[in-house]
Amino acid sequence: QPQNRRVRDAEFAQNRGAILAAGKTEIAKTVPSKDRFKYQRVYPDGELYAVITGFYSYDRASTGLERTYNAQLAGTDDALFVRRLVDMATNKTPEGASVQTTIVPKIQKAAADALGNQKGAVVALDPKTGAVLALVTSPTFDPNDIASHDIEAAGKAYDRLASNSQHPLSNRAAREIYPPGSTFKLVTAAAALADGKTPNSRVDAPDRLKLPGTSIFLPNSTNCGGTKITITQALKVSCNTAFANLGLDLGEDNLREQAQLFGFDRRHLPDLGGVASQFPDKMDDAQLALSSIGQFDVAASPLQMAMVSAAIANDGVLMDPYVVKSVLAPDLRPIETHQDKELSTAMTPENAKELQQMMSVVVSQGTGANAQVPGVEVGGKTGTAQSDPKRKPFAWFTSFAPLDDPAIAVAVIVEDADIPRNDIAGGRLAAPIARAVMQAAL
């Protein structure tokens, strides 16, 4: 009975295994304590890794990896059965397994420092394997407060966080979805290349486009450089009307299929409760035009937009993102080891190479100039998403580097971007954060 306090006391008094970042950095560990529970769960850099470790508490259950790997960490998993028998026979205190994550401390710290107090999230992936190199969300919380042996104080700390209007307990990186804005133009561009178009194919780019079947006009937020421009130029300056026309030409089935090849409409990163990003069903032409530029009902997590860049960077192959590399018994024997897995071929290698070059033009000459890294060729795409006229826009940036041998793909969202609505918010606010993360990795 989980409600039985003696059962709960016994579990809370266990010597849980550690959760480790790359380089064996302990991000959750257990230390002896001089109270009735004997062992205290401690988070050395609590706020920095809270979204990954989650918390382990007496009254408020657990979240994050503490929850997903509870049986292994507590030492009650079937794989540790023999170990438990040996411990019992030798009268040794049972010890849990440790969980080795893929998180790289210096990349995680760079992401957290660059995001600062801005509300938002950062995800960094290894394009070749799918390993999550950094996963940051802001505002965050200190899991030590909820793991306290002062049960009353821990309960109050949890209630305070749960009722906070800024939602510090939310995993904005993998469990929240937002309108992706112009970062979604990468998906539309990929669909256009799959349809036989080239980077130099020309598209109508009027100053404003009347949405089919309505009296509403879609404006551009930049000077597109002409009324008929190449797809490369349209991506470089993030031209709304060109991409809306491209989407209308491609049709909703092609666009939806391309989005799903990049991972939309499927859950990812189940270890951290990741949710599915969404591409809408059954649209009229006006809704299709808006969806082509990442508006209407298109919704994506930062993890999903990092996956789009990662697949493009990896010559079109999308790898399954993962955050746990292995689970090790107390004697360091591997109990579980992750095997890299391909999710899909989102693009042909030839088309992916062309889109890589187009993304490099966005950074070297276009809206993504703030992501430039000295001596490194970077590919990227800005986005400014407006979900509601009453609220400030979301600033997005997604990128990868280096161009010739990608080692990292990044997505950044800053909620409530405090700049004029028609500004390229992603370029101004989110791109410098992505740059800091890429520099830490390279």
Side-chain angles (χ1 to χ4, degrees), residues 194-268:
D195 194 51
K197 294 175 175 59
T198 73
N200 293 320
S201 295
R202 298 176 82 77
V203 193
D204 285 331
D207 289 338
R208 57 183 199 151
L209 177 70
K210 189 165 187 274
L211 294 174
T214 75
S215 55
I216 298 165
F217 283 89
L218 173 70
N220 287 314
S221 49
T222 60
N223 176 358
C224 292
T227 54
K228 203 169 179 74
I229 59 175
T230 64
I231 299 177
T232 298
Q233 171 69 11
L235 196 72
K236 181 177 100 172
V237 298
S238 203
C239 182
N240 288 340
T241 58
F243 273 95
N245 275 324
L246 209 47
L248 288 168
D249 178 48
L250 290 164
E252 70 168 287
D253 291 345
N254 283 339
L255 211 50
R256 183 178 300 105
E257 185 185 351
Q258 185 62 68
Q260 289 173 344
L261 285 170
F262 278 122
F264 277 77
D265 298 329
R266 288 168 68 183
R267 292 184 60 197
H268 306 288

Side-chain angles (χ1 to χ4, degrees), residues 359-388:
M359 288 175 73
S360 82
V361 173
V362 172
V363 175
S364 62
Q365 303 167 36
T367 56
N370 281 339
Q372 289 174 10
V373 176
V376 179
E377 265 197 287
V378 175
K381 182 70 193 82
T382 51
T384 307
Q386 297 166 356
S387 60
D388 180 336

Side-chain angles (χ1 to χ4, degrees), residues 178-179 295-296 384-394 421:
Y178 309 86
Q295 302 280 5
F296 181 51
T384 307
Q386 297 166 356
S387 60
D388 180 336
K390 294 188 189 71
R391 66 168 297 157
K392 293 168 182 169
F394 301 115
R421 296 186 73 80

Side-chain angles (χ1 to χ4, degrees), residues 179-182 280 287 290-298 384-387:
S182 294
Q287 293 164 340
L290 291 172
S291 297
S292 308
I293 61 167
Q295 302 280 5
F296 181 51
D297 284 347
V298 182
T384 307
Q386 297 166 356
S387 60

